[in-house]
Amino acid sequence: MPRIVSVWLPRWPILRFLAAQVRNPPSREAVDPERPFVLAVTASGGPRIAALNAAAEADGLFAGDLVADARAKAGMLQVRDVAPAADAAALRRLALWATRYTPAVALWEEDNGADGFFLDVTGAAHLFGGEQRLLADLAHRLGGFGLPAHLAAADTPGTAWALARYGEASSSPSPLAGEGRGGGSSDCGTGVPDLPTPTPDPSPQGGGEKNYLPSGREADALAALPIEALRLAPETSTTLRRLGFKRVGALLDKPRAPFAARFATELLRRLDQALGRTSEPLAYVVSPPVYHSLRYLLEPIAAQEAIVAVATRLMKDLVHALVRDGVGARALRLSLYRVDGEVQAIEIGFAMPTRDASHVARLIDLKLERIAGTAEAGMAEAEAFDAGFGFEALGLAVTVAERMDDRQAELAPAHDSGNAERYAALVDTLRQRLGPRSVKRLAPVASHVPERAEAASLAAAATPVWPAPDETRPRPLLLLPHAEPADVMAPVPDGPPCRFQWRGALYDVACAQGPERIAAEWWRHDTPEPTRDYYVVEDKAGHRFWLYREGLYERETASPRWFVHGLFA
Amino acid sequence: MPPTDALPRLLGRPGDRAEVMEELRRLLPRLEGLPREARTLPFALPPLDARLPQGGLAFGVLHEVAPATEPEMPAAFGFVAAILGRMPPGMLLIVLTPKCTRWGRPHGHGLNRLGLNPARVILVEAADEQQALWAMEEALRSAAPVAVAGVLGTKLDLKTSQRLNLAAGNSGLPCVLLRPAGPAESSAATTRWCVGAAPAARDRFGLVGGWRWRVRLERCRNGRVGEWLMEFDHAAHRFSLAAALADPALSRGASPQPSLARSG
């Protein structure tokens, strides 16, 4: 059975709002976290409360109340608009941070409340000395960020969710009242991942409640919980309560058929998911890699050389697994876990599968250099990468692995095999420094339209096969990105040009060869494109141009226009 | 024996003057650190190859090509592409800069018609001159392609050309640099070519028979300079020398194989 850890962050929108307020002080009056404060969402009948802080709850307000009623109940109520997108983005960043425990982290969907996340810690818990320790460490670090979290570990996401949300420790109506962390009342903690100020050494007590459920005891654990713990739609739970079902235990030993008839599939599906009778797929924030290696550092690092050195060691750790499975890495992701909870990711692609740690190190070095270069140039990409107070952990993941045949180390190496490797390494190096789209090969495309007759493929692609050149169709050596209009004098409207002006220079045509008529691809456009008549034109000095006349005279247009499309050698 | 020891002995010896010259020709490249048995790419044109020190374009050094005037850039690029097409089998790397794409991008079908199989070509588009030079040096150092060409938008200073020359020498690969038109500056290039457009050869029907360029060897270390009207036969990958005829009409009806002529 998998082991799932569920993390619930009570009052997430409130905490995120207050944290953002500390980072970017608002122009108008700041919210005082000690006084009643609610976030409102526009709903039927006017704005309603979406989230509220402890002080507001103490005044008898509930989520879902009309803001107008709430103002009457609580004096001096502070109301702000809820920002679901910002909440989700911040939660995603926190989930990325949590990939330091396991690469498989999934956010809570909207029907789960969207204020927490799951960690699939199957096979990862022993790295932290067992699940209990992992939960303690997670709670401790979240507490350091000022996030009082409720944690639970169970075999299924459904049970873990239920325990985190409605477990014994958090069943009290005011969850924050029971918090044991230092300075518990200031729920505007200073270390939420939004904030640049880290709290590297939080109080050892940490925040959060922990529920640990051994395997196979889902039914016992769920029996005592309210039926809302099954993640049901509000109407369903209201109906169930009206029918007299208040606890999950009351549902467990009942016959299934009447429930299926009454509640369609929802109730039974949720029940089965919680009990592990059906699987519940999780949508992970990052796709879990095939091979993964992680290193926690005693001291945070920020220097480029240090990052490269650690990455090299991580790659060396991975090599054994790659050799064992006979594969090489085609794509890598280096995750840098910043002290304050931000996660920076560097993606690296390879032209050929590789296991070479020094090659990986060089590419990472080049990538970091490139990022640093854009930082100096003040470009937007630089803002995304910032060492801040340093990185406390580095993870290297093989996101794409590809079969890589073992080769005998020959005493007299075959010439071409080494060359293919060198070529792949060169392409990787150039792409890291110059950008992924900078290295290209040209591949032919079956089209008569010159600008469509070739495509730039990535250099890693298979070798394109070019047909033998057609002697009857001259093609220019250099093709202009866009055909440029030219002023052409032609003795007859549908004849070859005798003089033309292009880019401010006048050319006397000594010799024109053509036309080669190329019709537009009618199946590509709704409105027919005009036909082109191409001429190879040479001026008196020997400059050679590829000109075309757009439109057939008197059939498609009355005044054909001329363009320069390419230049011959 | 180090060549420096051989020189005084040779010069002190009374003997045949031609013999001394021959010996000097043999020794000078060694003094300059060129590999003695350097591979070369001959043009297969005796009058031209005779002027190049090793009987062809030497590998492992930098060659510089410039158009005579700015609008003759396509002709100069054609000359470079024709040389690249004659290189031994393997990948060819062409580094482009944004400035040089003013005259368009290399067109696969056009390269194909010039006898350069586009499947052999890797195009590298650098964001600026600095990156282009870095990419060229990196490619030379990796020794993965068989030749490296660069189309630059600015002139090259002496130091950069020395770096490229050194990188080419270490890997034994030829490096061809196409730089913009303008007065030449001092550089470490072994040869410097100036390419101008010339009216194409035409067959008896007035159709283009072969591209022609006015090629001037402006500078050649240990060789002699010269100027030729060159024609390239893309089907045979062969250069030939064309009679310098001002009026292409006169060349009509001439034999398909232009007679070898020498000028300059």
Side-chain angles (χ1 to χ4, degrees):
Chain A
M1 281 301 275
R3 290 296 288 175
I4 306 289
V5 169
S6 174
V7 179
W8 177 41
L9 303 159
R11 305 188 198 288
W12 172 248
I14 297 275
L15 293 180
R16 201 223 33 101
F17 183 91
L18 294 174
Q21 175 182 275
V22 173
R23 193 168 61 158
N24 300 318
S27 50
R28 60 179 191 159
E29 197 187 344
V31 169
D32 179 4
E34 303 294 337
R35 289 179 19 232
F37 166 50
V38 299
L39 288 171
V41 63
T42 310
S44 62
R48 287 177 184 272
I49 295 174
L52 66 172
N53 70 351
E57 213 164 68
D59 280 354
L61 303 185
F62 291 99
D65 283 356
L66 279 172
V67 171
D69 296 346
R71 281 190 200 280
K73 274 192 199 169
M76 305 293 284
L77 183 67
Q78 307 170 92
V79 182
R80 296 286 184 274
D81 284 336
V82 72
D87 292 342
L91 189 64
R92 197 186 142 75
R93 282 206 296 280
L94 193 65
L96 283 175
W97 166 83
T99 56
R100 71 199 304 285
Y101 293 99
T102 166
V105 176
L107 294 174
W108 284 8
E109 304 286 333
E110 198 55 50
D111 52 352
N112 293 351
D115 52 359
F117 48 88
F118 294 119
L119 287 81
D120 186 345
V121 297
T122 319
H126 70 276
L127 299 172
F128 301 87
E131 276 174 29
Q132 312 265 24
R133 294 258 188 105
L134 190 147
L135 288 181
D137 186 59
L138 183 55
H140 167 85
R141 285 179 190 272
L142 286 172
F145 295 145
L147 293 171
H150 294 258
L151 310 179
D155 276 5
T156 62
T159 308
W161 187 90
L163 287 173
R165 215 40 227 278
Y166 295 97
E168 283 161 28
S170 47
S171 58
S172 64
S174 175
L176 282 181
E179 290 305 318
R181 48 183 282 271
S185 64
S186 67
D187 50 3
C188 63
T190 51
V192 182
D194 273 328
L195 298 180
T197 28
T199 47
D201 188 24
S203 61
Q205 294 306 312
E209 308 293 333
K210 293 176 281 291
N211 280 296
Y212 172 77
L213 186 70
S215 273
R217 292 191 44 212
E218 284 79 31
D220 304 346
L222 286 172
L225 299 180
I227 48 161
E228 283 81 5
L230 287 177
R231 296 181 288 172
L232 301 170
E235 310 85 68
T236 313
S237 39
T238 314
T239 316
L240 279 170
R241 281 192 176 276
R242 221 172 272 156
L243 292 171
F245 296 103
K246 300 217 161 31
R247 303 267 155 191
V248 179
L251 291 166
L252 286 176
D253 48 356
K254 293 283 179 293
R256 290 168 69 86
F259 287 110
R262 182 72 176 78
F263 298 102
T265 58
E266 189 207 357
L267 176 62
L268 292 177
R269 179 170 57 89
R270 286 302 196 189
L271 197 60
D272 288 347
Q273 282 178 347
L275 295 173
R277 291 183 194 142
T278 54
S279 65
E280 179 180 358
L282 298 177
Y284 299 122
V285 281
V286 287
S287 52
V290 200
Y291 301 94
H292 189 236
S293 151
L294 196 69
R295 216 170 252 262
Y296 300 95
L297 307 167
L298 291 174
E299 288 287 324
I301 58 169
Q304 185 175 332
E305 298 81 37
I307 294 173
V308 173
V310 175
T312 313
R313 271 155 61 194
L314 289 173
M315 187 62 201
K316 282 180 182 158
D317 293 348
L318 287 176
V319 165
H320 303 290
L322 294 175
V323 170
R324 184 193 63 216
D325 294 353
V327 295
R330 269 303 293 274
L332 287 175
R333 182 174 51 231
L334 179 70
S335 305
L336 301 148
Y337 297 88
R338 223 161 73 180
V339 174
D340 58 353
E342 278 294 333
V343 182
Q344 312 273 356
I346 293 177
E347 306 270 354
I348 293 165
F350 299 94
M352 253 173 81
T354 186
R355 295 175 199 146
D356 188 354
S358 61
H359 182 47
V360 171
R362 186 164 154 65
L363 294 188
I364 289 172
D365 200 18
L366 282 172
K367 185 91 174 187
L368 290 171
E369 216 162 79
R370 177 157 178 253
I371 292 168
T374 49
E376 279 167 25
M379 288 164 82
E381 193 188 348
E383 288 171 27
F385 194 87
D386 177 16
F389 290 89
F391 302 104
E392 58 173 352
L394 267 74
L396 189 69
V398 178
T399 46
V400 181
E402 208 169 80
R403 191 165 169 67
M404 183 175 169
D405 291 323
D406 290 324
R407 259 203 331 275
Q408 186 177 353
E410 289 173 48
L411 291 176
H415 182 71
D416 56 332
S417 68
N419 204 39
E421 227 155 72
R422 281 209 302 271
Y423 161 63
L426 172 66
V427 169
D428 287 344
T429 312
L430 293 176
R431 276 167 59 189
Q432 278 316 312
R433 170 77 183 260
L434 306 179
R437 303 206 58 79
S438 61
V439 186
K440 289 175 194 165
R441 290 173 88 166
L442 300 173
V445 174
S447 170
H448 288 292
V449 180
E451 61 265 29
R452 295 187 46 82
E454 68 174 18
S457 61
L458 292 182
T463 306
V465 179
W466 282 79
D470 185 350
E471 295 299 321
T472 59
R473 297 167 192 275
R475 285 290 178 271
L477 184 63
L478 296 167
L479 194 71
L480 296 173
H482 306 284
E484 296 179 13
D487 290 334
V488 168
M489 279 174 59
V492 282
D494 54 352
C498 70
R499 176 183 278 188
F500 67 97
Q501 193 172 10
W502 176 60
R503 287 187 178 174
L506 196 65
Y507 299 94
D508 276 321
V509 175
C511 191
Q513 182 179 321
E516 181 191 345
R517 181 159 293 178
I518 298 178
E521 296 175 333
W522 53 264
W523 57 91
R524 216 172 272 290
H525 307 281
D526 293 336
T527 54
E529 297 264 300
T531 308
R532 300 174 186 173
D533 278 346
Y534 278 92
Y535 290 89
V536 180
V537 168
E538 188 178 83
D539 80 339
K540 293 215 165 78
H543 303 121
R544 289 173 276 269
F545 303 89
W546 209 34
L547 266 87
Y548 73 84
R549 184 180 49 227
E550 194 183 67
L552 297 177
Y553 180 61
E554 285 189 333
R555 273 164 62 193
E556 289 178 355
T557 172
S559 54
R561 294 193 300 158
W562 286 84
F563 294 89
V564 176
H565 202 183
L567 302 159
F568 286 90
Chain B
M1 189 195 297
T4 39
D5 294 345
L7 263 184
R9 186 168 56 82
L10 190 77
L11 293 174
R13 195 176 64 191
D16 192 4
R17 188 181 156 80
E19 196 185 319
V20 174
M21 286 305 289
E22 196 55 44
E23 189 68 10
L24 274 176
R25 282 221 179 89
R26 200 178 59 77
L27 287 173
L28 269 174
R30 286 174 63 187
L31 274 176
E32 295 194 343
L34 291 177
R36 199 163 16 150
E37 297 300 323
R39 296 163 68 205
T40 57
L41 180 81
F43 283 94
L45 296 174
L48 207 156
D49 287 336
R51 302 207 170 191
L52 295 164
Q54 283 136 331
L57 272 186
F59 279 34
V61 291
L62 178 69
H63 301 282
E64 215 178 295
V65 179
T69 58
E70 181 70 21
E72 279 157 313
M73 193 71 176
F77 186 74
F79 180 67
V80 171
I83 289 176
L84 289 179
R86 287 166 56 82
M87 290 285 173
M91 298 307 286
L92 303 162
L93 197 94
I94 302 180
V95 182
L96 305 169
T97 52
K99 262 190 195 168
C100 72
T101 48
R102 174 176 142 74
W103 297 101
R105 285 165 202 287
H107 186 48
H109 293 277
L111 292 173
N112 208 6
R113 273 190 64 91
L114 211 63
L116 172 59
N117 184 3
R120 293 175 64 190
V121 176
I122 306 169
L123 292 175
V124 178
E125 295 196 3
D128 55 34
E129 308 291 321
Q130 212 83 41
Q131 289 198 344
L133 291 168
W134 174 86
M136 286 180 75
E137 211 179 317
E138 193 67 27
L140 284 171
R141 239 190 274 144
S142 78
V146 291
V148 177
V151 187
L152 296 187
T154 57
K155 278 175 206 159
L156 200 64
D157 59 4
L158 179 63
K159 208 167 172 183
T160 320
S161 71
Q162 278 169 340
R163 278 184 74 102
L164 281 178
N165 201 29
L166 193 68
N170 288 341
S171 65
L173 297 182
C175 178
V176 185
L177 199 78
L178 180 56
R179 62 167 184 82
E185 291 174 359
S186 58
S187 102
T190 302
T191 61
R192 184 157 62 219
W193 304 80
C194 179
V195 181
R202 303 205 169 261
D203 61 12
R204 68 193 68 188
F205 306 109
L207 301 176
V208 171
W211 308 127
R212 279 185 185 169
W213 305 298
R214 202 174 296 280
V215 176
R216 195 165 73 234
L217 182 53
E218 281 187 331
R219 177 201 150 117
C220 179
R221 192 170 288 177
N222 304 328
R224 283 178 296 155
V225 297
E227 187 171 0
W228 303 271
L229 187 66
M230 279 172 113
E231 188 175 320
F232 187 69
D233 179 357
H234 57 84
H237 295 209
R238 214 159 54 83
F239 284 106
S240 56
L241 295 182
L245 292 171
D247 188 355
L250 289 178
S251 70
R252 284 180 200 172
S255 62
Q257 292 290 322
S259 59
L260 293 182
R262 219 167 117 179
S263 62

